[in-house]
Amino acid sequence: VGSKRPIKGPRSFTAMASTQPQMYGQPSSDPAAELQRQMATAAAQQAAQQGAQAASQKAKHGFYEIKAYIQENPGSVKVMCFLVGLTLLVFSILGVINPFAVFGKPKDFLANVYNIIFSVLICICEGKEDWMKSCGDLQGKLFQRCFFLATQTGRALFYFYVGSMTILLLPSGFIWTLIYIILGSCLCLLSLLMLFFAHCGRCLGSSYGQMGGSSGQL
């Protein structure tokens, strides 16, 4: 009867302190994995930056390469081509509106619509480069997409086609017929002059060459 049971006391505070509670819903903090993720992100960003720089340099190189091969006309020829193209644009718009009833056939109306487009292209080709850059670099974009217009021979053949089509338009009034014949003849003569400068200019010691030379602009 006098025997006493041993009393079980609580666990020691040292053992309780050594056991940490398990937390759920929190990511495990692994320094090695975090370092790998940071290195992978930095590598991806660096690769993207290098790709963007390479694409930009390639585009600039292509533009400068095309610009280097753009052949310009002498200053006086450029001025004449620009003025003839601008005059053709005005009379072609009048031909489409037809306020004087000088065009009575549908084919004449269509020819004047084409002449509006062609005359705008002539003005862009022969216009001053600073003007074209202020208008969204129309000249550079046109030469990139229609490279034959960037060469003197290509522009000359294009001008000859537009001039011959303008001569054959022949409106009903005498004054209008004379105006269209003069405009078409000027374009044809200027195109022949451009071909002469392009293929025979060096034989005569002319300095007409590529863009960046001594050729003038408007």
Side-chain angles (χ1 to χ4, degrees), residues 6 24 40 56 65-66 75 80-81 94 131 140 145 157 172 200 213:
Y24 297 96
S56 177
E65 185 176 358
I66 291 177
M80 289 298 298
C81 290
L94 291 176
W131 299 350
R145 289 166 175 78
L157 295 177
S172 58
C200 301

Side-chain angles (χ1 to χ4, degrees), residues 1-2 13 23 37-38 49 53 77 80 85 87 91 93 100 115 117 120 128 147 158-159 177 182-183 186 188 191 205:
V1 178
F13 291 100
M23 303 296 292
R37 283 194 296 268
Q38 292 178 359
Q49 291 178 357
Q53 291 177 357
V77 177
M80 289 298 298
T87 307
F91 280 98
I93 293 175
F100 304 103
N115 276 345
I117 300 174
V120 170
K128 193 174 181 180
F147 186 72
F158 174 68
Y159 294 172
T177 301
I182 292 175
L183 290 175
C186 288
C188 291
S191 65

Side-chain angles (χ1 to χ4, degrees), residues 5-26:
R5 295 182 180 179
I7 299 175
K8 297 182 178 180
R11 297 180 180 179
S12 63
F13 291 100
T14 307
M16 293 178 62
S18 61
T19 59
Q20 297 180 355
Q22 186 176 1
M23 303 296 292
Y24 297 96
Q26 294 183 356

Side-chain angles (χ1 to χ4, degrees), residues 172-187:
S172 58
F174 173 75
I175 301 298
W176 282 81
T177 301
L178 183 62
I179 290 174
Y180 272 76
I181 290 177
I182 292 175
L183 290 175
S185 300
C186 288
L187 275 179

Side-chain angles (χ1 to χ4, degrees), residues 48-129:
Q49 291 178 357
Q50 290 179 355
Q53 291 177 357
S56 177
Q57 291 178 358
K58 187 175 181 181
K60 290 181 180 179
H61 178 72
F63 174 75
Y64 290 141
E65 185 176 358
I66 291 177
K67 186 176 180 180
Y69 283 98
I70 294 174
Q71 299 177 357
E72 289 200 354
N73 294 319
S76 56
V77 177
K78 286 180 67 68
V79 173
M80 289 298 298
C81 290
F82 183 85
L83 293 178
V84 172
L86 189 61
T87 307
L88 180 61
L89 175 62
V90 173
F91 280 98
S92 298
I93 293 175
L94 291 176
V96 171
I97 300 174
N98 201 14
F100 304 103
V102 293
F103 296 102
K105 299 179 181 180
K107 67 180 184 65
D108 297 335
F109 174 81
L110 186 61
N112 279 294
V113 172
Y114 288 156
N115 276 345
I116 291 175
I117 300 174
F118 294 154
S119 57
V120 170
L121 292 178
I122 292 174
C123 292
I124 293 176
C125 289
E126 305 298 341
K128 193 174 181 180
E129 188 178 359

